[in-house]
Amino acid sequence: GIQVEQSPPDLILQEGANSTLRCNFSDSVNNLQWFHQNPWGQLINLFYIPSGTKQNGRLSATTVATERYSLLYISSSQTTDSGVYFCAVTFSGGYQKVTFGIGTKLQVIP
Amino acid sequence: NAGVTQTPKFQVLKTGQSMTLQCAQDMNHNSMYWYRQDPGMGLRLIYYSASEGTTDKGEVPNGYNVSRLNKREFSLRLESAAPSQTSVYFCASSEPGAPKNIQYFGAGTRLSVL
């Protein structure tokens, strides 16, 4: 079946460290987004990135659609980066149906 | 510009009670969605509405009904609540069509069914 897998499931970082989160998907996609859910539950869109590379400050993302994966890079992590990071995809032919991975829970400690 | 507004923020129900979760967006988006989030799981799509007047089932529609009242509003109804429906519910909206099919989320409704 259609799947979105994220790794690692949990991650603890010292403040200032860098990290890479991965999202694998089982079929071709026409939409891929990365979200951050903060400790208060709010979901914020970080990137819309069905292919290619984008950067926004300390965050960047790369999607290699032909190999069915996306990476989210966090550099110089801060405590405010803590929360859960979700990858969400719309599979080709899936219209507006969005499938979420189960997320990577990140804790950045001072 | 409020974005996506959900009401209520918290609700406690007894098994068998009914309630409606409300969602409104002011971004003039065509598509709206209802998700549920359970511990250790990602968000799962309950229902979505691609445009005003249309609704479709998502991954976990059983036990729920929806109404796309107009372009702004999309409500989710639990006719007879069950403990398995204890969850956090999120509403989202988007404007379909690349490159701007970005989903914007409300703050969520935390529902407990006793």
Side-chain angles (χ1 to χ4, degrees):
Chain A
I2 294 172
Q3 291 184 334
V4 180
E5 297 180 346
Q6 291 186 243
S7 60
D10 297 279
L11 187 59
I12 299 176
L13 293 177
Q14 199 78 39
E15 197 171 24
N18 303 327
S19 64
T20 301
L21 282 57
R22 186 176 180 103
C23 172
N24 292 331
F25 40 93
S26 61
D27 207 342
S28 58
V29 301
N30 55 27
N31 183 347
L32 187 147
Q33 297 174 75
W34 283 97
F35 291 90
H36 176 223
Q37 186 171 39
N38 65 25
W40 296 270
Q42 182 66 41
L43 280 154
I44 304 296
N45 180 278
L46 297 175
F47 293 102
Y48 168 83
I49 186 164
S51 63
T53 297
K54 290 186 178 179
Q55 181 154 9
N56 184 2
R58 296 180 297 102
L59 303 181
S60 64
T62 295
T63 297
V64 184
T66 53
E67 297 187 21
R68 300 182 181 170
Y69 74 88
S70 183
L71 302 173
L72 178 69
Y73 305 96
I74 304 175
S75 65
S76 303
S77 58
Q78 300 176 358
T79 56
T80 52
D81 295 331
S82 296
V84 183
Y85 291 81
F86 291 104
C87 170
V89 306
T90 303
F91 290 100
S92 300
Y95 303 100
Q96 272 83 285
K97 286 189 178 182
V98 180
T99 302
F100 278 74
I102 64 171
T104 293
K105 186 175 182 179
L106 173 64
Q107 184 180 359
V108 181
I109 56 178
Chain B
N1 189 341
V4 180
T5 303
Q6 290 183 235
T7 56
K9 287 184 169 50
F10 302 94
Q11 184 71 49
V12 179
L13 293 177
K14 294 182 180 178
T15 296
Q17 288 185 316
S18 63
M19 79 161 294
T20 299
L21 281 64
Q22 307 285 354
C23 176
Q25 52 94 7
D26 61 5
M27 295 174 282
N28 202 35
H29 286 166
N30 277 296
S31 296
M32 297 186 72
Y33 312 78
W34 276 105
Y35 294 90
R36 61 178 287 171
Q37 184 178 27
D38 301 298
M41 303 183 72
L43 280 71
R44 292 184 292 169
L45 184 64
I46 305 172
Y47 271 94
Y48 68 101
S49 171
S51 61
E52 186 178 355
T54 68
T55 60
D56 285 285
K57 295 179 180 179
E59 183 184 354
V60 288
N62 291 343
Y64 305 95
N65 287 301
V66 290
S67 295
R68 184 72 183 267
L69 304 170
N70 47 55
K71 191 172 185 179
R72 289 188 65 247
E73 298 173 289
F74 188 38
S75 63
L76 178 72
R77 183 160 177 84
L78 287 69
E79 290 290 352
S80 179
S84 61
Q85 294 178 305
T86 294
S87 189
V88 181
Y89 291 85
F90 287 96
C91 177
S93 71
S94 71
E95 188 56 38
K100 297 193 177 192
N101 189 14
I102 297 171
Q103 297 212 330
Y104 296 87
F105 282 83
T109 295
R110 189 173 296 274
L111 175 67
S112 293
V113 183
L114 307 177

